[in-house]
């Protein structure tokens, strides 16, 4: 696939890669939805030929606790899971899901954070693959083990102690959760004081694909997330925030991820909470 020129790849481009370089690209299927059908079952019903299934809860997160509902996995655990899925250091990776790229963005971020330099997310997710007439394979798969070596530090990250000092803190959740109107998952509603809201739905066009880079730059510039600014993103548990980080990468903005996110913030009573709409930090 060659050096990464952007974090996204089209279904058509992936078809070409699979046809011309059957042994040259690793495809990871990270189908996952909160409250949805089991991803492994959906994978067996149909997937990109040669893809390996990756379970988000098991492979891309550590046990829930004070660091949040989906804390980062231990480095050795991620390395083991990625090797089992066929990931190698010198082999490009394409990640997809059926959740508009949210789970795939988590896998993309983790691999990039742990040193893999050639990772892309399938633009438009599984529906785009089907719409493009991509071949579909059914049943379980077995892939040769990879040799990926996880080396943390490849992407910026911020912890809960550093969050108050972030210049532009982007909340990726739906507006009603950001405002504190509803909170279906965590015990406290609202957002981190001074955070700005760019829900992941803002990243996508009507067809489920990512909006063009120019439009995305405008969306994020409106909240102060511009190239060179100190930017970090969070969500409920650190999964969908990776979607905003990925999108800002498309827009030319390097942003840190706060893995613990809101679930970590409210795990300790007494941390300040804001509700309603705010315009960012003074």
């Amino acid at each position: 696939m060659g050096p990464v020129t952007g974090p996204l790849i089209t279904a058509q481009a992936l078809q070409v890669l699979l046809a011309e370089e059957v042994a040259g690209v690793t495809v990871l299927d990270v189908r996952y939805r909160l409250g949805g059908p089991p991803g492994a079952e959906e994978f067996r019903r149909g997937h990109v030929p040669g893809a390996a299934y990756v379970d988000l809860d098991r492979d891309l997160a550590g046990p829930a606790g004070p660091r949040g509902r989906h804390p980062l996995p231990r480095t050795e655990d991620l390395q083991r899971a990625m090797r089992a899925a066929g990931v190698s250091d010198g082999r490009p990776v394409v990640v997809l899901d059926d959740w508009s790229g949210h789970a795939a963005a988590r896998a993309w971020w983790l691999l990039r954070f742990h040193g893999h330099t050639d990772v892309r997310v399938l633009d438009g997710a599984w529906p785009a693959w089907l719409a493009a007439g991509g071949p579909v394979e059914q049943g379980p798969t077995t892939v040769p083990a990879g040799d990926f070596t996880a080396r943390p530090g490849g992407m910026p990250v911020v912890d809960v102690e550093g969050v108050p000092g972030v210049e532009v803190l982007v909340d990726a959740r739906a507006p009603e959760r950001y405002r504190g109107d509803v909170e279906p998952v965590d015990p406290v509603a609202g957002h981190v004081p001074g955070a700005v809201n760019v829900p992941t739905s803002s990243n996508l066009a009507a067809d489920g694909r990512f909006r063009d880079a120019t439009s995305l730059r405008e969306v994020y510039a409106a909240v102060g997330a511009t190239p060179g600014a100190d930017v970090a993103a969070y969500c409920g548990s650190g999964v969908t925030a990776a979607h905003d980080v990925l999108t800002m990468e498309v827009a030319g903005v390097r942003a840190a991820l706060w893995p613990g996110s809101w679930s970590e913030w409210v795990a300790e009573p007494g941390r300040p909470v804001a509700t309603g709409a705010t315009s960012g930090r003074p």
Side-chain angles (χ1 to χ4, degrees):
M1 191 157 60
V4 170
T5 55
L8 302 175
I9 185 171
T10 66
Q12 293 82 358
L14 179 56
Q15 287 186 52
V16 171
L17 286 173
L18 291 174
E20 296 182 352
E21 306 180 73
V22 174
V25 58
T26 298
V27 180
L28 303 181
D29 190 312
V30 197
R31 263 179 267 192
Y32 175 89
R33 293 186 189 180
L34 287 170
E41 181 180 340
E42 294 297 311
F43 175 84
R44 286 190 292 269
R45 290 176 182 168
H47 53 263
V48 174
Y53 175 69
V54 175
D55 186 290
L56 189 150
D57 287 326
R58 182 190 65 214
D59 301 326
L60 304 180
R67 292 187 300 127
R69 289 184 279 109
H70 287 108
L72 299 187
R74 297 188 307 169
T75 298
E76 56 268 34
D77 292 340
L78 179 75
Q79 177 175 286
R80 186 182 310 111
M82 292 299 96
R83 287 184 175 184
V87 176
S88 291
D89 290 321
R91 180 182 170 101
V93 178
V94 173
V95 193
L96 71 141
D97 60 23
D98 60 350
W99 189 25
S100 302
H102 292 83
R106 169 74 169 207
W108 167 85
W109 188 90
L110 278 170
L111 282 168
R112 289 285 306 279
F113 175 72
H114 286 91
H116 203 299
T117 59
D118 202 343
V119 190
R120 299 179 193 173
V121 169
L122 180 63
D123 194 7
W126 177 242
W129 180 257
L130 296 177
V136 176
E137 182 178 69
Q138 294 182 321
T141 60
T142 301
V143 298
D147 63 7
F148 174 62
T149 300
R151 303 177 181 90
M155 292 284 281
V157 65
V158 65
D159 59 22
V160 68
E161 288 79 17
V163 164
V166 174
E167 179 184 341
V168 182
L169 183 62
V170 177
D171 187 316
R173 296 174 299 165
E176 60 270 21
R177 288 187 70 190
Y178 167 80
R179 293 191 303 264
D181 299 344
V182 297
E183 181 44 65
V185 185
D186 291 304
V188 179
H191 59 264
V192 177
V196 292
N197 187 213
V198 184
T200 58
S201 58
S202 302
N203 302 330
L204 304 174
D207 63 1
R209 293 173 174 82
F210 284 81
R211 297 168 64 181
D212 65 88
T214 299
S215 297
L216 293 171
R217 279 193 288 271
E218 293 174 354
V219 168
Y220 283 91
V223 297
T226 56
D230 174 29
V231 184
Y234 79 98
C235 58
S237 65
V239 173
T240 60
H243 199 276
D244 273 10
V245 173
L246 170 73
T247 304
M248 283 188 268
E249 190 95 349
V250 174
V253 177
R254 178 53 63 95
L257 178 72
W258 174 17
S261 287
W262 184 247
S263 60
E264 180 181 26
W265 186 258
V266 298
E268 182 176 306
R271 288 194 175 115
V273 172
T275 56
T278 62
S279 57
R281 304 233 162 118

